[in-house]
Amino acid sequence: MKTPIDIAVTGAAGQISYSLLFRIASGELFGPDQPVVLRLLEITPALHRLHGVQMELNDCAYPLLQKVILTDDPLVAFKDIDYAFLVGARPRGPGMKRKDLLESNAGIFSEQGKALNEVAHRNVKVLITGNPANTNALITQRNAPDLSPKCFSAMSMLDHNRAIFQLAKKCGVRSKDVKNIIVWGNHSETQFPDLTHATVKGLSALTLVDENWIENEFVPIVRHRGASVIEERGGVSSAASAANAAICQMRSWVFGTETSDWSDWVSMAVISDGSYGVEKGLFFSFPVQVSSSGEVSIVQELEIDDFSKSCIKASVQELKDERKAIKHLL
């Protein structure tokens, strides 16, 4: 049996975490021979609910689950961790402006960044899923100056998966038949799901669907899918699909994309190095490849048409505006 790995999950009593924790504990993410320690962080008033989650985890009698630690202290939650899922974030309330949401979450993620900087392993992998995820990733990273920026990623796999399903449905195929979709930009309504390089059973997607469907159905559906789920579920977020995407993205990050037989790349929001005209330092969703050792590289030299460039530019501007709104907290 391998040495246990420590995994932190924040917002651990929330809906997304409830869909996430049992899958991690079962071995679905790290494999059937990898023991895990779950270090679960919650705000103090929610610790009693988190204890209920711990009771259920224990009652599953997972052979790989070595220990569950509950805490309201990020220094305890992040102590010597190998991986972190930063799920907990304040949702937007009635009448709350986006700037207010950004500032509210900036306090949460700046504190967590400082704690990660102090006590986490130096090669920790930190996946930010709490929204606004891209800017929360920036805040976390900026407050952890002793960790490499490559230790941080924001989740765009949910949008990537949504795009795969919509194209597969349109073409009457299974999701595994779709390859090389790209989601560019922010996890927001400015994101751009791009079919330029996508294939369906080896055929160019652009030869199978028309421009009208792409612009008037595909792109809007993917961009607004989260809101649509909330509306249909009566105010309940897309927790299960978000948890699934977190599993998918972390698995790609841990085990790599080199041996994948279903796609040449995945979409991940990583810190920009200036590729495709995206300002350096922003967390932006790109097509990436991951080595078997977990090294992430942005796919280079893809042809980008004028429409795609304009969409990328709009998402860059939104992220710059978000950064400006919380610059005093960076």
Side-chain angles (χ1 to χ4, degrees):
M1 188 72 75
K2 296 179 179 178
T3 301
I5 56 175
D6 284 58
I7 305 156
V9 179
T10 73
Q15 294 182 64
I16 294 175
S17 295
Y18 191 74
S19 294
L20 176 66
L21 292 172
F22 297 88
R23 296 176 68 175
I24 295 174
S26 72
E28 182 176 344
L29 174 53
F30 294 102
D33 61 347
Q34 177 59 67
V36 297
V37 173
L38 291 176
R39 307 180 74 94
L40 308 184
L41 180 68
E42 258 298 356
I43 58 174
T44 306
L47 284 176
H48 69 287
R49 288 193 291 115
L50 185 56
H51 183 249
V53 176
Q54 180 190 37
M55 291 168 67
E56 286 200 81
L57 285 164
N58 291 339
D59 290 347
C60 289
Y62 291 119
L64 295 174
L65 183 57
Q66 298 291 295
K67 185 187 298 185
V68 181
I69 298 168
L70 313 185
T71 183
D72 57 1
D73 184 350
L75 290 173
V76 174
F78 300 151
K79 178 66 174 175
D80 296 328
I81 57 168
D82 304 284
Y83 304 95
F85 293 86
L86 303 192
V87 180
R90 181 179 177 182
R92 184 186 293 190
M96 181 182 285
K97 296 180 180 179
R98 188 170 179 85
K99 181 176 182 293
D100 298 328
L101 179 67
L102 287 165
E103 287 210 18
S104 175
N105 279 305
I108 296 170
F109 286 88
S110 60
E111 179 187 13
Q112 292 180 2
K114 292 171 184 175
L116 286 162
N117 193 65
E118 186 171 342
V119 299
H121 278 166
R122 299 300 87 177
N123 59 348
V124 65
K125 286 180 166 58
V126 182
L127 176 58
I128 293 87
T129 69
N131 285 318
N134 295 54
T135 296
N136 287 341
L138 175 65
I139 294 165
T140 309
Q141 181 266 317
R142 289 285 190 88
N143 282 277
D146 298 331
L147 296 175
S148 168
K150 293 183 178 181
C151 291
F152 301 89
S153 175
M155 192 170 76
S156 55
M157 186 64 77
L158 179 56
D159 307 305
H160 188 92
N161 287 343
R162 287 167 170 168
I164 287 174
F165 173 78
Q166 292 302 321
L167 180 58
K169 178 183 176 183
K170 177 67 174 178
C171 295
V173 300
R174 297 170 66 183
S175 294
K176 72 178 186 65
D177 297 321
V178 174
K179 293 181 62 173
N180 294 349
I181 275 177
I182 301 170
V183 174
W184 301 95
N186 198 5
H187 179 60
S188 73
E189 294 179 1
T190 69
Q191 66 172 269
F192 175 49
D194 182 5
L195 298 182
T196 305
H197 304 279
T199 62
V200 180
K201 290 191 171 182
L203 300 175
S204 169
L206 298 183
T207 67
L208 302 174
V209 297
D210 59 71
E211 186 175 338
N212 179 66
W213 177 79
I214 294 173
E215 293 185 8
N216 297 311
E217 293 189 52
F218 172 72
V219 172
I221 285 174
V222 176
R223 283 177 170 173
H224 301 287
R225 188 67 164 183
S228 298
V229 170
I230 290 172
E231 181 178 355
E232 292 296 321
R233 297 192 68 210
V236 181
S237 68
S238 49
S241 55
N244 178 71
I247 293 279
C248 291
Q249 184 160 328
M250 186 64 86
R251 186 188 296 121
S252 294
W253 197 2
V254 172
F255 297 108
T257 58
E258 291 179 339
T259 59
S260 172
D261 60 358
W262 61 272
S263 193
D264 295 331
W265 56 69
V266 295
S267 299
M268 284 178 61
V270 296
I271 196 162
S272 175
D273 59 3
S275 296
Y276 300 102
V278 177
E279 183 175 317
K280 290 183 178 181
L282 293 174
F283 276 83
F284 197 87
S285 182
F286 293 98
V288 306
Q289 294 173 324
V290 187
S291 72
S292 58
S293 62
E295 289 295 318
V296 178
S297 59
I298 297 169
V299 178
Q300 298 294 326
E301 299 182 358
L302 294 176
E303 291 187 13
I304 308 295
D305 61 25
D306 290 340
F307 176 70
S308 301
K309 288 178 181 177
S310 68
C311 292
I312 290 171
K313 185 177 180 181
S315 210
V316 168
Q317 186 58 53
E318 181 180 53
L319 285 166
K320 290 169 67 175
D321 291 342
E322 289 184 7
R323 182 182 61 187
K324 183 177 180 181
I326 46 85
K327 64 180 180 180
H328 58 291
L329 297 168
L330 295 177

